Amino acid sequence: MQSFQLGDTRITRIEELIGPLFDPVQFFPTFHQGLVDAHKDWLFPNHMDAKTGRIIASMHSWLIQTPHHNILIDGCIGNHKDRNPYRAWHQMTTEWPERLKATGVDPTQIDYVLCTHLHVDHVGWNTQLIDGTWRPTFPNARYVFSKAELDHVEAMLNGHDPNDDFALVNQKTYHDSIKPILPQTDLVIESMDLISDRLSIALTPGHTPGSITLGLTSFDERARFCGDICHHPLQIYEPSMNSAYCELPEQAIQSRINLLEECAEDNLLLMPAHFGPSHAGRVRRKASAYEFKFC
Ligand SMILES: [Zn+2]
């Protein structure tokens, strides 16, 4: 189990799965072979698979343990969920719950579950199947995400293109992983402190209309949990490279540049949702762009 210590706060990665999940050409519409050539010194093997040419992606949650709170960021895909036609994510049975319990934290001890956004791979463990019903996995937690994101997802429920598999899967996700936890959800309307001097929430629209990022401070150390503002470390070197799933492309690029600039300026530990090993690191300015130093 991989952990990072930030002042008096422990951050642990709870893995769901990792592997060469995506074809980079499909995932990043502006991807080209020149990027592989330019970055081959660090891409292999942790961030691109040499055999298949696919990009390595990790699905994980971040558990934050402060002296007073247990906070979970992003709930991956989840078990036993109907995710057809996404066959690889359909009816999964991973040991994510056992990995969480191995930290010594029981689901009943989670105080906050923060969803950076409401795509299928960020909310799955919000719920679990008990006696045929989707129930909150974390019965004592407040679930937190942005009102703009919920409004957007609910507006998309009706009338999406029947040939849009991603929209179909996200519709299923709403019903089994979001709707059941709404009675214990707090909606974020503007950037705010969730825990004063410790955990802040910033609205960072672009990947989705209601994406948020989380800032963690402990003593004089700081980290930023960026969800899918950056999917893959190549985007730190190429901030204008959006994924095919960035819903507001211009804003997605601007939010990414803002994030990288802040991380470089303030030496923040960047903790994305999908980077391969070691999963987190620091952004440095390099000439007129950026580079990434994994921890
Ligand atoms: Zn994601």
Side-chain angles (χ1 to χ4, degrees):
M1 193 105 53
Q2 186 181 20
S3 288
F4 302 82
Q5 191 73 27
L6 200 81
D8 63 357
T9 297
R10 192 165 190 77
I11 306 165
T12 305
R13 173 177 169 271
I14 313 296
E15 181 175 300
E16 185 174 59
L17 55 92
I18 184 168
L21 301 187
F22 302 114
D23 176 346
V25 177
Q26 286 175 358
F27 200 87
F28 296 116
T30 60
F31 183 86
H32 56 91
Q33 181 60 31
L35 291 172
V36 180
D37 299 337
H39 298 289
K40 59 178 183 292
D41 56 323
W42 60 264
L43 271 174
F44 303 98
N46 286 344
H47 308 287
M48 181 170 269
D49 179 45
K51 210 162 110 186
T52 60
R54 292 165 81 87
I55 47 176
I56 305 289
S58 165
M59 299 286 163
H60 55 250
S61 304
W62 293 111
L63 172 67
I64 302 173
Q65 294 170 270
T66 79
H68 304 291
H69 294 95
N70 296 314
I71 301 136
L72 191 76
I73 297 184
D74 283 340
C76 303
I77 299 159
N79 277 359
H80 310 300
K81 304 216 161 176
D82 170 10
R83 291 295 177 256
N84 271 328
Y86 282 14
R87 282 186 300 162
W89 295 355
H90 182 63
Q91 300 288 352
M92 294 213 314
T93 54
T94 72
E95 294 184 352
W96 186 96
E98 288 73 20
R99 291 173 195 142
L100 174 63
K101 282 181 185 161
T103 66
V105 175
D106 187 83
T108 59
Q109 297 172 305
I110 297 287
D111 301 293
Y112 294 102
V113 178
L114 293 162
C115 304
T116 58
H117 61 296
L118 299 179
H119 278 164
V120 51
D121 56 316
H122 292 259
V123 298
W125 281 107
N126 283 359
T127 59
Q128 58 187 343
L129 196 58
I130 298 175
D131 298 332
T133 303
W134 294 107
R135 299 190 189 281
T137 307
F138 310 100
N140 302 318
R142 298 303 299 177
Y143 289 77
V144 179
F145 42 85
S146 83
K147 181 175 186 302
E149 186 76 353
L150 182 64
D151 288 349
H152 173 65
V153 167
E154 291 185 334
M156 300 287 283
L157 286 178
N158 299 314
H160 68 78
D161 178 351
N163 297 315
D164 184 341
D165 290 348
F166 189 57
L168 174 63
V169 167
N170 280 315
Q171 186 180 47
K172 294 180 182 186
T173 299
Y174 174 81
H175 288 290
D176 60 37
S177 303
I178 299 169
K179 200 173 174 197
I181 53 90
L182 289 179
Q184 61 190 82
T185 291
D186 296 327
L187 295 174
V188 177
I189 293 168
E190 57 189 356
S191 296
M192 58 174 280
D193 286 340
L194 183 69
I195 301 171
S196 156
D197 296 334
R198 175 76 69 171
L199 193 63
S200 63
I201 298 173
L203 300 186
T204 47
H207 177 61
T208 62
S211 281
I212 57 174
T213 57
L214 299 319
L216 176 69
T217 302
S218 182
F219 300 118
D220 58 352
E221 295 186 70
R222 294 170 63 192
R224 192 82 181 270
F225 298 84
C226 71
D228 287 358
I229 306 294
C230 293
H231 276 96
H232 189 277
L234 273 175
Q235 289 172 290
I236 290 171
Y237 297 82
E238 298 284 336
S240 64
M241 187 168 75
N242 277 336
S243 78
Y245 304 95
C246 290
E247 299 186 33
L248 304 172
E250 293 299 319
Q251 285 188 58
I253 293 170
Q254 194 56 56
S255 286
R256 191 172 305 119
I257 291 170
N258 293 348
L259 172 80
L260 298 179
E261 189 55 28
E262 190 188 347
C263 287
E265 181 69 22
D266 296 340
N267 192 34
L268 307 184
L269 180 60
L270 182 64
M271 317 214 69
H274 298 304
F275 281 21
S278 62
H279 310 288
R282 296 186 195 270
V283 178
R284 302 281 182 237
R285 289 197 187 89
K286 188 181 185 187
S288 60
Y290 305 97
E291 62 181 347
F292 197 57
K293 297 292 181 191
F294 280 93
C295 286

